[in-house]
């Protein structure tokens, strides 16, 4: 299980958080830590761009959510496999002033006792700003080890050469910031990138696989050890998706393909009974998926103290 590293002195080690921002669990021999990067206040309409607004309003009412907008959680994850420490996504950083309560990585990573200098690998599910922005925070690159490996799909890297936003429904100026952040990330880390086509084993029990959909090069991360499983699904799913897996999200670059990917992943996880963690599910976002007719149910785990 993850524990405080003696080489790190957390800035808030003498202050207890009233609301915890990290949650630890084990998947077989793999140590896992889910960390909250904060929340993103976004218009509720982005949750369902292909349905009657009255349907979305009903769903929001049933879930005690306001109609105008609500906070999307933003989660990242760290995995220890043997001597390798793998960061999965890196949060928002300071890429967008309109999201002032996100960008808590890397401060919360340090508060958890994880030294950036000991991170051996980073897996990027996709290159939206809330997944790579943390790596652009001043001083982060300098603290990473020189031989750090950053894994991202070849398709994702190519997509951001000339990204297509024609099927997205995003508030302004988000598309422009997504473009500039992806370009800055590639410029800063091009020599660290380990691009892969369909699937790569990053460390024993830790692999990433291309799904596409949300972005053409979107990938998910699979953990498997001693018969236990966990999938970090990135942006393949959002809270509304369990009840309505075919609803399109405004941040999906290919919403039809994204819905297909989402349903396939739901079916896969309902069948294998493994754990699910996703970027925008309520922290700590650890649960399972159950089939429920033509839809699905998210079954959160009981917190293990």
């Amino acid at each position: 299980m993850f524990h405080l590293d003696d080489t790190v002195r957390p800035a808030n080690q003498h202050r207890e958080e009233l609301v915890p921002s990290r949650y630890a669990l084990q998947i077989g021999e793999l140590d896992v830590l889910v960390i909250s990067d904060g929340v993103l206040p976004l218009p509720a309409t982005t949750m369902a761009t292909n349905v009657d607004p009255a349907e979305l309003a009903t769903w929001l009412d049933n879930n005690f959510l306001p109609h105008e907008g609500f906070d999307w959680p933003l989660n990242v994850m760290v995995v220890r496999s043997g001597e390798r420490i793998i960061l999965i996504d890196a949060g928002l950083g300071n890429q967008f002033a309109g999201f002032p309560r996100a960008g808590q990585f890397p401060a919360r990573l340090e508060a958890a006792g994880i030294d950036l200098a000991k991170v051996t690998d980073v897996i990027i599910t996709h290159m939206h700003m809330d997944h790579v922005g943390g790596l652009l925070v001043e001083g982060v690159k300098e603290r990473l080890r020189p031989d750090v490996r950053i894994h991202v799909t070849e398709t994702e890297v190519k997509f951001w050469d000339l990204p297509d936003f024609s099927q997205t429904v995003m508030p302004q100026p988000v598309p422009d910031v997504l473009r500039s952040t992806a370009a800055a990330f590639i410029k800063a880390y091009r020599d660290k990138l380990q691009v892969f086509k369909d699937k790569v084993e990053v460390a024993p029990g830790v692999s990433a696989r291309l799904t596409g959909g949300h972005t053409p090069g979107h990938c998910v991360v699979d953990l498997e050890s001693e018969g236990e499983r966990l999938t970090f699904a990135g942006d393949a799913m959002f809270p509304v998706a369990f009840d309505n897996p075919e609803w399109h999200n405004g941040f999906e670059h290919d919403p039809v393909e994204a819905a297909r990917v989402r349903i396939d992943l739901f079916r896969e996880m309902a069948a294998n009974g493994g754990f699910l963690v996703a970027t925008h599910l309520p922290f700590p976002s650890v649960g399972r998926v159950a089939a429920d007719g033509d839809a699905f149910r998210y079954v959160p785990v009981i917190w293990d103290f």
Side-chain angles (χ1 to χ4, degrees), residues 90-95 105-106 129-137 140 189:
L92 179 71
N94 52 15
Q95 293 301 301
F105 167 90
M129 62 182 172
D130 52 326
H131 298 257
V132 300
L135 295 177
L136 298 174
V137 171
V140 166
Y189 288 100

Side-chain angles (χ1 to χ4, degrees), residues 7 31 63 222:
T7 65
D31 296 327
N63 287 273
D222 296 306

Side-chain angles (χ1 to χ4, degrees), residues 141-182:
K141 184 180 180 182
E142 291 72 21
R143 291 166 60 192
L144 290 168
R145 50 194 289 165
D147 62 346
V148 68
R149 305 185 304 174
I150 300 180
H151 307 269
V152 62
T153 67
E154 181 180 62
T155 304
E156 186 72 0
V157 174
K158 288 181 177 178
F159 172 72
W160 288 99
D161 284 340
L162 191 63
D164 179 6
F165 285 79
S166 62
Q167 297 185 72
T168 64
V169 185
M170 301 180 184
Q172 294 296 332
V174 169
D176 289 341
V177 181
L178 291 176
R179 289 188 186 94
S180 63
T181 299

